[in-house]
Amino acid sequence: MYKRFSLIVGSLFIILAAGAQTRLPDEIAYRIKGEAFSNSKVEEMSQWLTDFLGPRLTASKNGFRAEELMQEKMTQMGLSNARREFAIKFARGGWNNEKTYIAMTKPYYCSFTSSPVAWSGGTNGLVEGDVVLLNVKTEKDIDSYRGKLSGKIVLMPGDTSYTIRFEPLAARLTDEQLEELAQDPRGDGANNMYRMRPPGMDMGLREKLNQLLKDEKPLAVLNSSGTFNVPMSRGLAYNAGDPYPTPEINLPLEDHGRMIRLLTHNTPVRMELDIKNVFYPTDTLVNNVIAEIPGTDPKLKSEIVMIGAHFDSWHGGTGGADNGSGCIVMLEAMRIIKELGIQPKRTIRIALWGGEEQGLFGSRGYAANNLYDIKSGTKLAGFDKFVLYLNMDNGSGRFRGIYLEENDMAVPFFKTWMVPFESLGFKVLSLRRTGSTDHVSFNMLGLPAYQFIQDRLEYGRTYHTLMDTYERLSFDDLRVNAALVAWFALNAAQDNARIPYKPDALDKLMSNIPAYMR
């Protein structure tokens, strides 16, 4: 009986000062913390989402299976209107990896851990061939390989060295780093974008190499991607209906480098491969999985406070930190609100996005279908009902603050709301921008949409690799994050005021869009 209570507008808000921002009373923060830390379902949800749901590659068979199961889970949790909602058509079509075997057979036998590149083709059963190293440093080097690669296994150029690092594998943000993030760099003319960038090769050279490989049709292409004998996962820019690309496989630096060293020391290398990849171009949809806690105020219930994370993952691991962690936190936040019997004035919506890894397709589709039509430059029905979006997509680490995307008007809201959680390490309101995740789809429209500042933990080591599994999850951090999301979402749902939109964002957006996109 002590858990169930309703929010009554007149008695719940603390008025901090005349005309100042408001927040829910500390009693509700206390109850949220109690539910999050003493009755947590984070570990249970983590095992279900990673081990049971498995990899969730966009438009894959298992990705669609996971969407259906997530919709069922949301319904079981008592959330309203749980649904798979179409976001956008997916040009690459569906793709599944059903078998991967790769081994070096000469000068000796050794099987390798590998990750087939998504939307690349397969072999015709077991094939064997000599390995040829593309010793290409400039575009001029490419011509020397024409007519020599058919029937061969091509080893792409790559770094063969690894420098031992003495930094810890996992780390939290230091006080100095947090202090730097808290500083507004706009007045200094500094780059105001904080971005987590994966490594990559020169795109111009890669395009030339891709064309050579299309012309030559080798048995397979081997890339260097990943360290600690763990390959990374990625995908090709393939369009459904095109000829199937050459089989392409990612190997870790250690295995890739071993073969480079053998070949450069005049030791022939031979390999055998059996890769089965299946294309099904009829499944060309990106979906989002969405549910709500309906608002109760007659005037405000149509307004939306949204929390979310991307549901898709790469095919190598089970998407633990990227981004099962974000999905777990958002689901747990919704569970906490439901368990406490809180009835918000505004609707609180959870959205688990599809297709983030291939280009923010899920959240972009949602924005295009519900918020703003870029082609006509007109607002849609949902635009003025959008109150706030909170996103998690930087691994499993604890929230230390939030990127407020240069929206100075948001500072008073979060400064007031964050007070009961500062003791848990949430202290930084950064006016910096950050990119490469789903809040961008809304922030570009000037809407209040923010990504949290998180401790990095092991993220750089496990990002997009086969190691991204259940073991990468920090349950203590996820519990804190879920409590914070529940608290912020409730405050935004109850506050009579709203964070103002950026007044010039749409004008900037439309002026930078090429005419052919309109």
Side-chain angles (χ1 to χ4, degrees), residues 131-358:
V131 177
V132 176
L133 171 64
L134 287 191
N135 189 13
V136 173
K137 295 183 174 62
T138 68
E139 293 182 10
K140 294 181 180 179
D141 298 328
I142 292 176
D143 289 338
S144 64
Y145 291 95
R146 297 195 185 278
K148 300 178 181 178
L149 302 181
S150 179
K152 306 296 185 181
I153 297 171
V154 172
L155 195 62
M156 296 293 282
D159 191 1
T160 63
S161 63
Y162 176 78
T163 302
I164 294 175
R165 300 176 225 170
F166 294 92
E167 299 85 3
L169 291 175
R172 296 196 182 275
L173 290 168
T174 65
D175 290 342
E176 291 77 14
Q177 290 171 317
L178 292 170
E179 183 177 345
E180 181 181 357
L181 287 171
Q183 302 304 311
D184 186 347
R186 285 176 288 180
D188 299 329
N191 183 0
N192 195 24
M193 176 68 76
Y194 182 83
R195 189 189 302 271
M196 301 178 74
R197 294 184 187 270
M201 69 179 297
D202 178 78
M203 294 305 296
L205 182 60
R206 179 75 204 212
E207 287 177 6
K208 296 286 186 180
L209 287 174
N210 286 344
Q211 188 57 53
L212 173 71
L213 297 172
K214 286 180 181 179
D215 296 340
E216 294 288 309
K217 296 181 175 57
L219 289 176
V221 174
L222 308 179
N223 305 303
S224 175
S225 185
T227 56
F228 296 97
N229 286 299
V230 179
M232 297 185 72
S233 298
R234 66 177 184 87
L236 293 179
Y238 169 78
N239 287 322
D242 287 350
Y244 295 155
T246 297
E248 196 163 328
I249 301 115
N250 283 349
L251 295 176
L253 175 149
E254 293 85 353
D255 295 332
H256 188 273
R258 184 195 320 189
M259 289 190 290
I260 287 181
R261 291 187 294 272
L262 286 168
L263 290 167
T264 55
H265 285 79
N266 300 316
T267 303
V269 175
R270 195 166 174 84
M271 298 186 74
E272 60 182 16
L273 314 170
D274 191 352
I275 309 294
K276 184 179 181 181
N277 294 329
V278 179
F279 293 78
Y280 43 98
T282 55
D283 292 314
T284 56
L285 307 180
V286 172
N287 301 308
N288 302 318
V289 190
I290 296 174
E292 288 111 11
I293 298 174
T296 57
D297 185 281
K299 294 182 178 180
L300 298 179
K301 64 183 180 181
S302 63
E303 297 183 355
I304 306 297
V305 173
M306 190 154 58
I307 63 176
H310 73 84
F311 189 47
D312 64 302
S313 75
W314 286 106
H315 51 291
T318 55
D322 187 20
N323 188 23
S325 60
C327 299
I328 292 159
V329 163
M330 300 305 165
L331 289 164
E332 177 72 352
M334 295 292 273
R335 185 198 68 80
I336 291 168
I337 295 169
K338 286 287 293 183
E339 184 65 24
L340 295 179
I342 298 175
Q343 297 177 319
K345 292 195 295 184
R346 296 184 175 94
T347 294
I348 300 177
R349 176 174 293 167
I350 181 172
L352 304 184
W353 310 113
E356 188 271 351
E357 295 290 3
Q358 289 72 45

Side-chain angles (χ1 to χ4, degrees), residues 186 192 404-409 430-433 502:
R186 285 176 288 180
N192 195 24
L404 294 178
E405 300 291 335
E406 298 182 351
N407 189 344
D408 300 272
M409 296 83 78
S430 176
L431 285 165
R432 294 173 182 264
R433 295 178 291 125
K502 293 180 184 176

Side-chain angles (χ1 to χ4, degrees), residues 304 306 382-389 442 447-448 498 501:
I304 306 297
M306 190 154 58
F383 188 92
D384 291 326
K385 302 296 184 182
F386 188 102
V387 175
L388 176 66
Y389 174 63
F442 310 109
L447 301 172
R498 291 171 46 171
Y501 299 173

Side-chain angles (χ1 to χ4, degrees), residues 472-484:
R472 306 287 85 78
L473 299 173
S474 172
F475 301 130
D476 288 341
D477 289 351
L478 297 182
R479 282 188 277 268
V480 170
N481 295 354
L484 275 158

Side-chain angles (χ1 to χ4, degrees), residues 451-470:
Q451 162 69 31
F452 288 98
I453 298 168
Q454 295 180 245
D455 285 329
R456 295 291 297 273
L457 304 186
E458 299 176 318
Y459 196 62
R461 179 182 179 187
T462 61
Y463 171 81
H464 289 185
T465 74
L466 275 62
M467 286 196 291
D468 190 12
T469 58
Y470 174 90

Side-chain angles (χ1 to χ4, degrees), residues 58-59 64 67 86-91 93-94 282-287:
T58 300
F64 289 129
E67 291 173 6
F86 167 74
I88 195 170
K89 289 186 176 180
F90 189 56
T282 55
D283 292 314
T284 56
L285 307 180
V286 172
N287 301 308

